[in-house]
Amino acid sequence: MSDTRNVWIFVEQDGGRIADVSIELLSKGRELADSLKSELWAVLCGASVDGLAQTLIAQGADRVIVAQHKELDPYRTLPYARVITRLVEERSPYILLFGASPVGRDLGPRVASAIRSGLTADCTDLQIGDYESKKEGVVFKDLLMQIRPAFGGNLIATIVNPHHRPQMATVREGVMRRAESDATRKGSIERIESVFEKSDLALRVVSREMRESKVRLKDSAVIVSGGAGVTGAQQFDLLRELAQVLAGEVGASRAAVDSGLIGHEHQVGQTGTTVRPRLYIAAGISGAIQHRAGMDESNKIIAINTDPDAPIFQIANYKIVGDLADVIPMLITALREKAK
Amino acid sequence: MPYKSVVLIKQVPDTHNITGKVMTDEGTIDRAALPAIFNPEDLNALEMALEVRERHGGTVTVLTMGPPSAAEILRESLYRGADGAVLLSDRRFAGADTLATSYALALAVRKLGAFDLVFCGRQAIDGDTAQVGPQTAEKLGIPQITYAECVLALEGGTIVVKRALDHGTETVECSLPCLLTVVSSANEPRPASVRRRIANKLAATSMEYKALLAKWPEFGSEEALDAFLTERKLKIPVWTAAELGAEEAKLGLAGSPTQVYKVNFVVLESAESRDVPPTREGMAALVDELMREYIVG
């Protein structure tokens, strides 16, 4: 185990655009590095990414390692895993973070397996703290506390990785707050050579069809979400109508997405999108922590549920005990009347 | 050309349907109150493997690591069309995180012999980590195709797969052998066939013999039952750590870098909150208040 206490962020980019989650991770990574009194390094891979390094420094990186190679665009597991694994083995970072995006969730475990370290998926918080192992009778100082909902979101678990380095975690987009960019920040840029083995190139990307998501949950000021209590497409149309009246977006709990009533891109929660709208309306959502983890920082929360004991009411500012099929039309009417 | 497929499956607590009854008065989880189910996306993985076999020939073997009761999902796989099943069960596997799990699974896949394709669900609903697939692929030293939605072509030693990503799709071509993690949108898993259910009803591991004998005492002894099941190819093999040739330090809790430091129940923050009656008047007053505070309008 090496003495460096550096915090590394794997920076995801596609076509020269840095992923939002990577910027958010740099903000969190900066905090972690500061509390460890160490450096924040960003690892950037791609075919033509040199120009992005300065942006990462402005976002908090002390050093940017740039791996530029034609085989690194578009993203493929094995060439990326080769670059990251080699770097980690050479430089021994203390912490290595990935976005919990399709790329991060593909690459993170591959790298963790290769270097035999632990990886915690979908963390909702990261802190530096001490861990006392009663079994070993040792206190591990300044470990990464990897905090995530567990067991279907009914519990919050704190995971540590006391014996292996780096301590690795993935974090979903929108969970960490993005810090302001500071163009005056100084940092260094290091360019590295990438060498691949033939077996790294076993997979070829034939074609890609990427689309901009039409659902903009993250940026929406008002979100109207439905859960297991929404029965049938007709009731979901009510939610859509309410969202339209409020110029908001439609969200959903996992139960609603699993039932096939609405697409995954609408899902709010630990395995969906984390949102902080001005107004969040939860209709027929019981409020498993899996869901609450993605919306409890909303400015105002209105909960509509037939069950007066539903956990969602405990975080709601406005509690409406009633059937959403009755309540929502009344709410729509009230909104339309006031708008006149 | 026939392909040899292995499907990695998991029995999980049905965390999607947790009710208040699962929480005990002491504030712990009563696992016994949760039904154990076939991890949903593993059913999609099995279906994809069965479709490959139907189109190209070959075999489908399912593999799971778990307690003796996990034989249930192996039988379910046989009912749905798998050719063979293996259970990895040993106390030394217990407490494994994803790294230790993938180590044991990779050893088991190797022990099955030469293979072309490994399928698994994208993630299991009890942890949602999506890590075991990629970690097993790394341990096997083969490429991985995560988020697999559709096998577009399979010819000779090459597979073409469509991947379903957050914001679109990607088509990749990969040499075999490789590992695919399959998403729920890939297919509609076939139900168990009645014919196969009858044929495989008695399929069991040796760990279940006692219970089987209690149900069918006419078999007489465990030896007689074993001979009967072996002859009819209904015996589901159980592999232990020793049979996998596993290094103990890499298994179970000992082989897991991650440790659970603490588990907290979520303390619900009591926000400043108010009851709103579900009436026209209630809604009108609510909208007034939201407008006054510039939350809406």
Side-chain angles (χ1 to χ4, degrees):
Chain A
M1 216 179 283
S2 131
D3 294 337
T4 88
R5 306 234 286 176
N6 288 344
V7 178
W8 286 21
I9 309 296
F10 167 74
V11 175
E12 192 177 328
Q13 62 80 31
D14 190 15
R17 194 188 159 274
I18 299 167
D20 288 351
V21 69
S22 300
I23 300 291
E24 292 159 12
L25 278 177
L26 284 168
S27 305
K28 186 68 192 179
R30 184 69 259 163
E31 280 174 32
L32 297 174
D34 287 345
S35 77
L36 289 165
K37 300 186 176 61
S38 65
E39 292 187 2
L40 176 66
W41 290 20
V43 182
L44 177 63
C45 303
S48 171
V49 288
D50 226 22
L52 301 175
Q54 205 58 48
T55 310
L56 303 176
I57 291 170
Q59 285 291 338
D62 297 306
R63 176 177 291 204
V64 181
I65 299 184
V66 182
Q68 198 159 269
H69 194 289
K70 67 174 173 37
E71 299 291 358
L72 293 171
D73 185 71
Y75 168 81
R76 285 180 297 166
T77 318
L78 298 183
Y80 272 61
R82 176 71 63 193
V83 170
I84 306 292
T85 303
R86 269 202 194 129
L87 264 177
V88 166
E89 283 170 348
E90 276 171 27
R91 316 285 183 97
S92 311
Y94 189 63
I95 290 170
L96 171 58
L97 306 176
F98 298 83
S101 59
V103 167
R105 284 160 69 90
D106 182 81
L107 179 61
R110 186 90 194 185
V111 171
S113 178
I115 60 185
R116 299 207 65 243
S117 191
L119 171 65
T120 304
D122 296 340
C123 293
T124 48
D125 196 8
L126 297 169
Q127 297 165 4
I128 300 297
D130 297 343
Y131 164 60
E132 185 187 354
S133 168
K134 296 220 169 66
K135 210 168 100 190
E136 295 172 65
V138 187
V139 176
F140 296 89
K141 289 258 175 221
D142 295 339
L143 284 191
L144 182 68
M145 301 282 144
Q146 303 152 30
I147 298 160
R148 78 180 299 253
F151 218 73
N154 290 267
L155 303 168
I156 293 271
T158 303
I159 311 289
V160 289
N161 192 354
H163 293 289
H164 297 73
R165 299 291 174 266
Q167 303 165 82
M168 297 172 62
T170 67
V171 177
R172 287 216 164 240
E173 183 184 325
V175 172
M176 303 298 174
R177 284 181 190 272
R178 170 189 192 135
E180 289 293 309
S181 161
D182 175 3
T184 65
R185 277 200 86 246
K186 295 271 181 292
S188 58
I189 298 170
E190 177 187 349
R191 292 169 186 86
I192 58 163
E193 288 295 319
S194 304
V195 184
F196 301 106
E197 290 173 19
K198 193 165 170 280
S199 60
D200 295 337
L201 309 174
L203 180 146
R204 186 172 72 85
V205 176
V206 179
S207 64
R208 301 171 88 214
E209 278 177 46
M210 293 299 162
R211 50 175 157 72
E212 273 298 303
S213 173
K214 283 188 200 110
V215 187
R216 296 299 305 169
L217 274 181
K218 219 174 81 165
D219 308 328
S220 194
V222 177
I223 296 171
V224 181
S225 285
V230 183
T231 50
Q234 246 177 348
Q235 289 200 350
F236 238 106
D237 286 341
L238 276 179
L239 268 54
R240 288 194 183 91
E241 192 181 340
L242 178 57
Q244 201 184 3
V245 173
L246 289 164
E249 187 63 78
V250 176
S253 74
R254 178 163 165 168
V257 172
D258 284 351
S259 76
L261 282 175
I262 191 158
H264 174 75
E265 65 274 22
H266 290 272
Q267 188 175 321
V268 173
Q270 188 206 348
T271 50
T273 306
T274 299
V275 297
R276 297 182 186 86
R278 198 165 65 220
L279 177 63
Y280 190 90
I281 303 179
I285 292 177
S286 65
I289 157 140
Q290 206 278 344
H291 184 75
R292 295 199 311 265
M295 51 63 78
D296 64 358
E297 288 185 41
S298 302
N299 184 20
K300 291 283 181 201
I301 298 168
I302 299 176
I304 307 165
N305 207 298
T306 50
D307 175 7
D309 298 324
I312 191 79
F313 283 133
Q314 291 169 270
I315 58 164
N317 301 93
Y318 301 99
K319 310 178 199 175
I320 307 173
V321 179
D323 189 338
L324 64 98
D326 304 327
V327 173
I328 291 182
M330 287 193 279
L331 190 53
I332 291 170
T333 308
L335 282 162
R336 288 210 169 114
E337 276 171 5
K338 303 286 171 187
K340 276 177 195 161
Chain B
M1 156 179 177
Y3 294 91
K4 204 175 157 194
S5 296
V6 181
V7 186
L8 309 179
I9 62 176
K10 187 179 186 187
Q11 190 180 43
V12 293
D14 190 1
T15 54
H16 283 194
N17 294 301
I18 285 182
T19 60
K21 291 188 191 84
V22 171
M23 296 306 202
T24 64
D25 292 341
E26 293 80 44
T28 58
I29 284 183
D30 179 8
R31 281 172 189 262
L34 281 178
I37 60 166
F38 203 126
N39 180 53
E41 284 181 325
D42 296 350
L43 283 173
N44 299 106
L46 175 61
E47 178 62 29
M48 194 178 270
L50 293 173
E51 285 170 6
V52 163
R53 187 188 63 190
E54 277 162 4
R55 212 160 298 144
H56 304 276
T59 57
V60 174
T61 307
V62 288
L63 195 60
T64 190
M65 182 172 106
S69 61
E72 201 49 57
I73 58 168
L74 294 176
R75 267 188 294 277
E76 180 64 31
S77 302
L78 295 172
Y79 301 161
R80 287 169 191 254
D83 301 290
V86 178
L87 172 65
L88 308 185
S89 200
D90 191 318
R91 282 184 193 283
R92 278 165 287 199
F93 297 146
D97 71 1
T98 62
L99 190 74
T101 301
S102 64
Y103 172 66
L105 288 174
L107 288 177
V109 171
R110 282 225 182 85
K111 189 175 156 74
L112 284 170
F115 62 91
D116 302 298
L117 291 158
V118 180
F119 296 89
C120 53
R122 175 189 53 137
Q123 63 189 36
I125 59 169
D126 57 344
D128 291 321
T129 72
Q131 288 174 190
V132 170
Q135 289 181 322
T136 306
E138 194 280 331
K139 299 264 180 272
L140 291 168
I142 59 173
Q144 68 199 42
I145 302 173
T146 52
Y147 299 88
E149 190 172 55
C150 182
V151 176
L152 297 172
L154 182 55
E155 219 186 309
T158 305
I159 191 167
V160 181
V161 176
K162 188 172 89 178
R163 304 176 66 212
L165 306 175
D166 280 0
H167 299 297
T169 61
E170 186 180 85
T171 301
V172 298
E173 184 185 87
C174 189
S175 60
L176 301 183
C178 69
L179 179 146
L180 279 70
T181 79
V182 181
V183 295
S184 60
S185 56
N187 50 47
E188 195 62 54
R190 72 193 62 192
S193 105
V194 175
R195 186 182 56 78
R196 294 194 57 96
R197 189 185 284 276
I198 292 167
N200 293 283
K201 195 172 139 190
L202 282 174
T205 69
S206 56
M207 299 166 113
E208 299 173 299
Y209 285 179
K210 269 202 180 65
L212 269 183
L213 277 176
K215 219 160 136 193
W216 285 292
E218 53 272 30
F219 281 109
S221 68
E222 290 197 18
E223 290 71 31
L225 178 60
D226 188 73
F228 177 87
L229 294 179
T230 305
E231 194 199 321
R232 284 164 182 76
K233 295 191 164 57
L234 289 171
K235 183 176 174 178
I236 298 175
V238 181
W239 290 348
T240 61
E243 280 160 301
L244 292 181
E247 293 172 47
E248 208 156 315
K250 291 184 178 174
L251 287 176
L253 205 56
S256 299
T258 56
Q259 297 181 10
V260 178
Y261 169 29
K262 56 185 175 189
V263 175
N264 294 84
F265 279 84
V266 184
V267 183
L268 295 172
E269 285 165 46
S270 50
E272 191 186 320
S273 81
R274 222 159 42 66
D275 282 301
V276 179
T279 59
R280 282 178 196 288
E281 297 71 34
M283 293 306 116
L286 174 61
V287 171
D288 274 340
E289 186 172 332
L290 292 175
M291 289 177 99
R292 262 199 317 277
E293 292 185 16
Y294 300 104
I295 303 293
V296 302

